[in-house]
């Protein structure tokens, strides 16, 4: 089919290191005409509860975010096993920093040699490359403090060759982009990213792409346009698997 969009590849410069999965949504566009909340309702009864975590942490709703990238990361704190989540947000309304500080709760300023971030009493930390108090905030990162300090000290995520190749084929204008490394969907102790009804996602992924250790990286994009739904998927096999063998197995 003819692609409905022709955007640049997805850029993840501010995504912290250790990324295992990223779901990027163009919230304002996706939900703009959804007056009956059909999109939200189609995602199941737990969707509102799950998304409230984002709304409380970021201070805005999905509909107020031009783009929202939710990502799952390795835990860089020694002795801790649970995986960590972060939100990279590009708000529709570009307000100054003082506006967002009021939204984020009781914040304390943390200054380092590499940049300034804010810790909130709500348990989250916040960072934006737009540092001036009076300048408009074009994007900001909501994450545990350990991920933000690592980002400032060492830079953003280092991507595998498989993910890098797939990213070059993504389209930032698509309303939904999912990028995942299938072999890294559990914590070191085996705790899965998907629990309850969401565990079915893992079953579906294995059915589509086969045994997960055959795939370095995978992506899925979705775009809704004038009543039509467009889906595109991409896979990058392990180096030990030639494309023809993998195609036969799939």
């Amino acid at each position: 089919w003819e692609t409905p969009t022709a955007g640049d590849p997805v850029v993840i410069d501010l995504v912290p290191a250790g990324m295992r999965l990223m779901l990027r949504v163009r919230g304002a566009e996706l939900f703009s005409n959804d007056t009956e909340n059909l999109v939200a309702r189609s995602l199941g009864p737990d969707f509102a509860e799950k998304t409230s975590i984002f709304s409380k942490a970021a201070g805005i709703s999905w509909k107020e975010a031009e783009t929202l990238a939710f990502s799952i990361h390795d835990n860089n704190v020694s002795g801790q096993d649970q995986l960590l989540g972060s939100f990279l947000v590009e708000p529709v309304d570009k307000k100054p920093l003082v506006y967002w500080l009021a939204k984020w709760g009781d914040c304390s300023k943390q200054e380092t040699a590499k940049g300034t971030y804010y810790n909130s009493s709500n348990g989250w930390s916040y960072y934006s490359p737009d540092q001036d108090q009076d300048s408009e905030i074009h994007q900001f990162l909501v994450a545990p403090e350990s991920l933000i300090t690592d980002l400032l000290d060492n830079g953003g995520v280092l991507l595998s060759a498989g993910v890098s190749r797939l990213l070059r084929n993504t389209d930032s204008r698509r309303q939904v982009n999912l990028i995942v490394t299938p072999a890294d969907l559990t914590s070191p102790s085996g705790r899965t990213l998907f629990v309850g009804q969401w565990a079915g996602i893992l079953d579906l992924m294995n059915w589509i792409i086969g045994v997960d250790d055959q795939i370095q990286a995978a992506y899925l994009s979705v775009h809704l346009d004038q009543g039509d739904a467009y889906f595109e998927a991409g896979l990058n096999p392990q180096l030990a698997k030639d494309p023809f063998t993998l195609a036969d197995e799939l």
Side-chain angles (χ1 to χ4, degrees), residues 55-208:
S55 298
K56 291 176 181 177
I60 59 174
S61 69
W62 286 62
K63 296 179 181 180
E64 298 171 301
E66 187 167 328
T67 62
L68 159 67
F70 169 67
S71 50
I72 296 289
H73 305 266
D74 295 327
N75 195 328
N76 54 10
V77 178
S78 178
Q80 294 187 11
D81 175 65
Q82 72 269 23
L83 298 167
L84 302 177
S86 72
F87 304 99
L88 180 59
V89 184
E90 182 183 354
V92 172
D93 293 329
K94 308 300 190 287
K95 301 289 189 179
L97 179 60
V98 291
Y99 170 88
W100 292 109
L101 288 175
K103 286 277 192 178
W104 297 336
D106 185 13
C107 291
S108 59
K109 188 176 183 180
Q110 309 294 316
E111 296 185 276
T112 74
K114 299 292 183 68
T116 299
Y117 66 96
Y118 296 84
N119 286 339
S120 174
S121 57
N122 64 17
W124 292 95
S125 296
Y126 302 83
Y127 169 74
S128 174
D130 307 308
Q131 295 282 322
D132 194 314
Q133 287 275 345
D134 297 321
S135 65
E136 294 181 339
I137 298 297
H138 291 84
Q139 61 179 171
F140 58 87
L141 176 66
V142 185
E145 183 178 14
S146 61
L147 289 183
I148 289 182
T149 55
D150 184 71
L151 175 71
L152 292 175
D153 291 340
N154 304 309
V157 59
L158 295 175
L159 300 173
S160 68
V163 174
S164 295
R165 281 193 289 270
L166 281 182
L167 269 178
R168 290 197 291 269
N169 295 317
T170 58
D171 186 333
S172 60
R173 295 300 306 174
R174 298 280 170 82
Q175 291 162 346
V176 178
N177 277 289
L178 173 66
I179 301 162
V180 62
T181 53
D184 290 333
L185 297 181
T186 58
S187 68
S189 66
R191 183 181 304 163
T192 180
L193 298 182
F194 302 105
V195 296
Q197 69 180 43
W198 297 96
I201 296 176
L202 209 52
D203 295 333
L204 178 61
M205 185 177 297
N206 287 334
W207 180 79
I208 294 174

Side-chain angles (χ1 to χ4, degrees), residues 160-163 165-166 180-184 209-218 235-247 249-250:
S160 68
V163 174
R165 281 193 289 270
L166 281 182
V180 62
T181 53
D184 290 333
I209 67 178
V211 180
D212 57 9
D213 63 2
Q214 296 175 351
I215 304 297
Q216 283 186 330
L235 304 173
N236 200 1
Q238 296 284 7
L239 296 179
K241 289 280 184 181
D242 69 87
F244 300 103
T245 300
L246 182 64
E249 293 177 356
L250 295 178

